[in-house]
Amino acid sequence: MSFEKKILCIGAGYVGGPTMAVIALKCPEYKVTIVDINEEKIRKWNSGELPIYEPGLEEIITKVRGSNLFFSADIKSGIKESDIIFVSVNTPTKTFGLGAGMASDLQYWEKTAQQILENSEGPKIVAEKCTLPVKTAQAMERILKTNNNGAQFEVVSNPEFLSEGTAIQDLLEPDRVLIGSHRTESGLKAAEEIGKIYAHWVPREKIITTNLWSSELSKLVANAFLAQRISSINSISALCEKTDADIAEISYAIGSDRRIGSKFLNASVGFGGSCFKKDILNLAYIAEGYGLREVAEYWKKVVEINDYQQERFVGNIIKAMFNTVVGKRIAIFGFAFKANTGDTRESPAKFIVRKLLEEKAILSITDPQALENARIDLAGVEGEITFERDPYRAADGASAIVLVTEWDEFKTLNYEAIYKRMKKPALIFDGRNILEHQKFFALGFNIYPIGKPSLTYLK
Ligand code: UDX
Ligand code: UDX
């Protein structure tokens, strides 16, 4: 079968996989290939057991894989035959050298640019999907311009705004698609080419075009703003716990103001995920680089409050358990950084679990999708941990349940039965405020929510 255009995506991760699956679904006349250096991951994408869990993804993959969606480890051939290349490799925070702990580690990204250069013969559009420091496209262009084999490149920025757990829905009905390009004739043409892909299912007015740097920076700023809302509400949750105000009532009251809006105002144990912290630190690092110290300090506070919230949560657990958890069994409900994903990157659960282990608690961790990653994350960590798919068994003999992830499954368990299996007094720390606190209190539990008065028999 001959295809109108050949699209390649480098990086078959949480972003590349779902994004390309939806493009393949909506653009049957385009051939979409996803490559990755990780051959095992590619094998999984080609198997019945996908490497990531995302609601609705498997159905789409089953429909389009082998028709116009292909997974391959042959990066060179993929680059050679493609017209459009999306780059979706990971850009974690640097752990070494200059900018360690703040700047993006661009080594994979640069290696990818080199690979594109070495294997290209004809003209290509390169679209950055991964979050990058502003002006990275310029660096990509510099690398790509060092070729002498006649290949021409136009670099555009097309950041992804999908949220894990709702990735497919976000891709099918995005609030907007953002495409940044040079305002030159070839730049605008490249942006139009990328826009044409999304126009298959996204209304044209939702496809926003900007200059290259605005697009790159918008991605960082969008994540920084979202994270800032969570840190803002979490900071107020601390005040609520001191004043008997209720954070859920406050979220509702302020969120009803249309200027504020109701989304992203759920107080929690803190935000996690691969993007928020990384992107804010990156933003702060860029601001510092331009001598804008106040701007950098302002955004860094969002991360500081997030750390504070997690520390506060663990502090509350220990305090409520009579200032010692030594030898006490605690069930951890949820290890993923949010519901409906198996992803545990930057999950608050990691911090909470480590702290409780340092205090010599005995932990049983349960999660519907993230136990495999939890095992990897906690390999080598000292302390007594068991991993238990069945939440009832996880709660067996436990003195406390610490709810970290807002899985629906945790809302509908038979807590009367769980209460019977637990050691008394039985405590629940609801790090997501998803349980029915009054009802649970009536069952005999001592309940400690976030930003609300606790309900306890332990006076
Ligand atoms: C990635 C970036 O981390 C994020 O900054 C950006 O906003 C979106 O893309 P994600 O898809 O969640 O996010 O990352 P991950 O699931 O780690 O996938 C990246 C993939 O790239 C991995 O499968 C990795 O093996 C692959 N990769 C990495 C390459 O194929 N080549 C490389 O040189 C490096
Ligand atoms: C985020 C952005 O939303 C998305 O646009 C971008 O492309 C990637 O980064 P993601 O990290 O997948 O997506 O999930 P998101 O739903 O934003 O949640 C991030 C974290 O914030 C999670 O730990 C979540 O539990 C937490 N959160 C979210 C809260 O604590 N309270 C809220 O009200 C909302």
Side-chain angles (χ1 to χ4, degrees):
M1 165 153 186
S2 74
F3 291 97
E4 198 177 292
K5 280 253 147 56
K6 289 181 179 146
I7 295 175
L8 178 76
C9 174
I10 305 181
Y14 286 93
V15 169
T19 310
M20 292 305 127
V22 169
I23 290 180
L25 180 74
K26 295 294 183 181
C27 310
E29 75 278 25
Y30 290 177
K31 178 182 178 188
V32 182
T33 306
I34 312 184
V35 292
D36 201 292
I37 40 167
N38 184 335
E39 289 184 20
E40 173 58 14
K41 211 177 234 185
I42 291 297
R43 194 194 58 72
K44 282 196 178 162
W45 278 111
N46 279 321
S47 77
E49 193 202 324
L50 302 184
I52 63 168
Y53 171 72
E54 192 59 58
L57 176 64
E58 203 170 335
E59 290 85 327
I60 297 180
I61 297 278
T62 313
K63 232 185 227 165
V64 290
R65 192 173 50 197
S67 304
N68 69 330
L69 179 69
F70 302 90
F71 294 91
S72 159
D74 186 354
I75 302 178
K76 286 184 183 172
S77 307
I79 294 173
K80 225 170 241 156
E81 68 162 35
S82 62
D83 305 299
I84 298 169
I85 302 177
F86 287 96
V87 180
S88 187
V89 300
N90 40 340
T91 48
T93 303
K94 254 184 114 177
T95 52
F96 55 89
L98 201 65
M102 283 186 80
S104 275
D105 184 347
L106 295 175
Q107 58 170 315
Y108 307 117
W109 174 89
E110 192 191 333
K111 217 168 66 199
T112 304
Q114 291 291 355
Q115 276 175 332
I116 296 175
L117 178 68
E118 283 160 20
N119 296 289
S120 296
E121 283 155 9
K124 289 186 200 305
I125 298 171
V126 178
E128 305 170 335
K129 266 253 162 263
C130 35
T131 315
L132 293 161
V134 63
K135 293 244 160 176
T136 306
Q138 203 166 35
M140 171 75 94
E141 279 168 348
R142 280 204 200 107
I143 295 172
L144 295 178
K145 279 195 176 131
T146 57
N147 79 324
N148 49 16
N149 57 359
Q152 278 178 344
F153 300 96
E154 194 62 45
V155 179
V156 301
S157 158
N158 173 221
E160 191 47 70
F161 295 104
L162 63 80
S163 270
E164 286 175 36
T166 53
I168 300 301
Q169 199 47 38
D170 296 343
L171 283 160
L172 289 172
E173 285 177 40
D175 286 347
R176 70 344 200 152
V177 167
L178 181 57
I179 305 167
S181 71
H182 286 306
R183 300 307 221 189
T184 57
E185 198 188 332
S186 59
L188 293 172
K189 215 170 132 215
E192 173 54 26
E193 205 52 62
I194 300 293
K196 241 168 79 185
I197 300 175
Y198 294 99
H200 281 74
W201 75 98
V202 179
R204 272 285 177 180
E205 65 275 15
K206 287 194 175 179
I207 303 177
I208 303 170
T209 52
T210 66
N211 82 33
L212 208 38
W213 323 131
S214 305
S215 172
E216 286 184 333
L217 196 51
S218 294
K219 167 73 189 184
L220 295 182
V221 174
N223 277 343
F225 265 60
L226 290 169
Q228 181 206 41
R229 278 174 76 90
I230 302 168
S231 278
S232 295
I233 204 73
N234 281 344
S235 74
I236 302 302
S237 75
L239 194 54
C240 285
E241 286 167 32
K242 299 285 183 206
T243 58
D244 285 352
D246 181 323
I247 198 65
E249 291 176 353
I250 293 178
S251 290
Y252 184 73
I254 64 165
S256 304
D257 184 328
R258 273 183 296 169
R259 291 169 304 172
I260 296 175
S262 61
K263 293 189 178 151
F264 267 70
L265 287 181
N266 289 326
S268 66
V269 279
F271 58 76
S274 71
C275 284
F276 280 0
K277 186 174 170 187
K278 178 188 80 170
D279 289 355
I280 294 170
L281 293 178
N282 202 340
L283 185 65
Y285 185 72
I286 294 165
E288 260 171 25
Y290 288 107
L292 304 172
R293 195 175 53 84
E294 285 78 2
V295 178
E297 291 304 315
Y298 174 72
W299 287 106
K300 274 198 244 172
K301 277 280 172 239
V302 173
V303 174
E304 279 172 35
I305 288 285
N306 198 50
D307 294 342
Y308 166 72
Q309 186 74 349
Q310 297 175 44
E311 280 158 21
R312 229 168 53 73
F313 187 65
V314 176
N316 284 347
I317 296 173
I318 294 169
K319 197 167 138 221
M321 296 183 81
F322 314 109
N323 290 312
T324 176
V325 292
V326 177
K328 291 182 184 166
R329 245 172 222 292
I330 299 178
I332 307 293
F333 276 27
F335 202 83
F337 82 97
K338 63 182 282 195
N340 299 318
T341 178
D343 192 353
T344 60
R345 289 178 291 179
E346 298 293 337
S347 176
K350 288 193 221 182
F351 173 82
I352 294 162
V353 161
R354 278 172 195 269
K355 281 283 166 195
L356 292 175
L357 288 173
E358 273 169 30
E359 295 290 334
K360 303 199 183 311
I362 301 169
L363 305 185
S364 52
I365 301 173
T366 184
D367 189 289
Q369 293 292 341
L371 284 189
E372 202 180 315
N373 280 330
R375 278 201 181 89
I376 297 168
D377 293 338
L378 297 172
V381 174
E382 233 173 84
E384 255 186 86
I385 322 172
T386 49
F387 299 91
E388 192 63 74
R389 174 60 194 92
D390 177 4
Y392 294 94
R393 289 181 59 166
D396 249 342
S399 303
I401 292 173
V402 174
L403 191 146
V404 185
T405 314
E406 72 282 22
W407 285 100
D408 275 345
E409 177 180 313
F410 297 149
K411 294 184 199 164
T412 53
L413 299 172
N414 179 349
Y415 280 91
E416 208 172 336
I418 286 181
Y419 181 74
K420 285 194 186 124
R421 295 165 85 137
M422 286 177 68
K423 198 159 174 231
K424 311 299 172 319
L427 285 70
I428 296 190
F429 299 90
D430 184 357
R432 296 285 184 169
N433 287 347
I434 58 165
L435 304 175
E436 293 173 83
H437 301 145
Q438 284 294 348
K439 192 171 135 192
F440 280 46
F441 181 54
L443 286 176
F445 284 110
N446 299 282
I447 301 282
Y448 300 84
I450 298 256
K452 290 168 183 265
S454 51
L455 298 170
T456 169
Y457 301 98
L458 308 168
K459 294 295 177 205

